[in-house]
Amino acid sequence: MALAELGVVVLDCPDPRALAAFYSEVLGGTVKGDEHWVDLEVPGGRSLAFQAAPGYVPPAWPAPEHSQQFHLDLTVEDLDTAEKGVLALGARPLDTEDRSRGWRVYADPAGHPFCLCAC
């Protein structure tokens, strides 16, 4: 028997509304909240939250001496199309060396790493 149920994944960032808007364009959904805490209600009943963090420092990736803290794996049907979309929204590539594999690594506008993964 589980002791708990996962409520929401929360990303620290300097501007919760801006980062929620980025992920809303990537994942769809509805943005609700204020300048300190924003929820993104994603289609399918899941939520992703964004919390203001004064002094926020983005994770370093790849850097063995720094932790990436966590990352999101986002499933897509077409890597090239999804890549064009996230780059237009302000993501930046973190790993462009191997284009033959089924996943690609990016940083969101606040610097959190995420992967687009072919389904």
Side-chain angles (χ1 to χ4, degrees):
M1 181 169 122
L3 297 175
E5 181 179 309
L6 180 63
V8 66
V9 173
V10 182
L11 283 75
D12 284 358
C13 58
D15 185 344
R17 187 156 293 285
L19 195 56
F22 170 82
Y23 279 105
S24 175
E25 291 293 324
V26 173
L27 299 170
T30 305
V31 175
K32 297 179 179 178
D34 58 32
E35 70 273 8
H36 303 291
W37 182 281
V38 176
D39 289 303
L40 172 60
E41 296 173 356
V42 179
R46 304 216 187 272
S47 290
L48 191 57
F50 307 89
Q51 174 177 271
Y56 170 77
V57 176
W61 189 97
E65 67 278 4
H66 298 284
S67 168
Q68 69 175 324
Q69 300 172 16
F70 83 103
H71 73 275
L72 300 172
D73 283 347
L74 307 178
T75 304
V76 300
E77 290 187 23
D78 183 291
L79 281 171
D80 293 330
T81 300
E83 177 178 67
K84 288 177 188 172
V86 299
L87 293 175
L89 292 169
R92 62 184 170 83
L94 293 178
D95 181 9
T96 58
E97 294 171 19
D98 184 356
R99 306 289 287 176
S100 66
R101 62 184 179 219
W103 49 273
R104 298 178 187 166
V105 185
Y106 306 87
D108 68 24
H112 302 101
F114 70 95
C115 296
L116 296 179
C117 304
C119 55

